[in-house]
Every structure is written in structure tokens, then in C-alpha cells.
């Protein structure tokens, strides 16, 4: 008896699958990723500009500026 139930279910599922339109997936949009070093360069430039502004405001001494600049450039 279980074999008959299985065949009946399989028949129902097949009929149901025929009635439904096939699922179509849109391709994922291609996102161009920046070069690996581009983000680092932008980040470093932003940090250096900020350091320059801090030195211009008198927050950092020339020695502190040079030390922080070296850290950024060597990272």
C-alpha cells in the first residue's frame, strides 16, 4: 500500500511542477572591486592629511608629526 501512496504523491508533485513556471534567477550584478592597494592608499592619504592639520593647529610637534607619519607610511 505504501508504494501506491508514493507513486500517487510523485504524480501530484510532477503535475504541480509542470503547472508552475520555472524559477529564473537573475545573474548577480558584477561589482568591480578596487585594486587591493587603492583602499590602503586612500586611507593613508586621509591619515596624513589629518596629521598635517593637527600639526598646523599646533596639536602635534614636528617630532610627533614625523613619528606618526613614519608609522603610517611603514604600515
Amino acid at each position: 500500500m505504501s508504494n501506491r501512496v508514493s507513486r500517487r504523491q510523485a504524480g501530484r508533485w510532477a503535475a504541480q511542477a509542470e503547472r508552475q513556471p520555472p524559477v529564473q534567477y537573475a545573474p548577480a550584478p558584477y561589482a568591480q572591486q578596487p585594486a587591493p592597494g587603492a583602499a590602503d592608499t586612500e586611507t593613508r592619504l586621509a591619515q596624513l592629511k589629518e596629521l598635517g592639520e593637527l600639526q598646523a593647529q599646533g596639536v602635534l610637534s614636528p617630532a610627533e608629526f614625523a613619528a606618526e607619519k613614519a608609522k603610517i607610511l611603514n604600515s
Side-chain angles (χ1 to χ4, degrees), residues 1-73:
M1 181 160 154
S2 66
N3 196 17
R4 186 172 66 175
V5 172
S6 297
R7 280 185 286 175
R8 197 171 14 174
Q9 274 184 326
R12 286 181 188 164
W13 291 338
Q16 185 180 11
E18 288 175 3
R19 282 184 258 140
Q20 293 179 349
V23 177
Q24 294 184 1
Y25 296 100
Y30 176 74
Q32 185 176 4
Q33 297 179 353
D40 279 345
T41 303
E42 291 177 15
T43 302
R44 288 180 183 175
L45 286 174
Q47 290 173 338
L48 289 172
K49 285 180 184 179
E50 186 177 335
L51 278 178
E53 291 172 3
L54 290 174
Q55 184 185 19
Q57 295 171 1
V59 176
L60 292 177
S61 69
E64 291 171 327
F65 174 78
E68 291 298 318
K69 178 181 167 184
K71 285 181 188 177
I72 292 170
L73 294 176

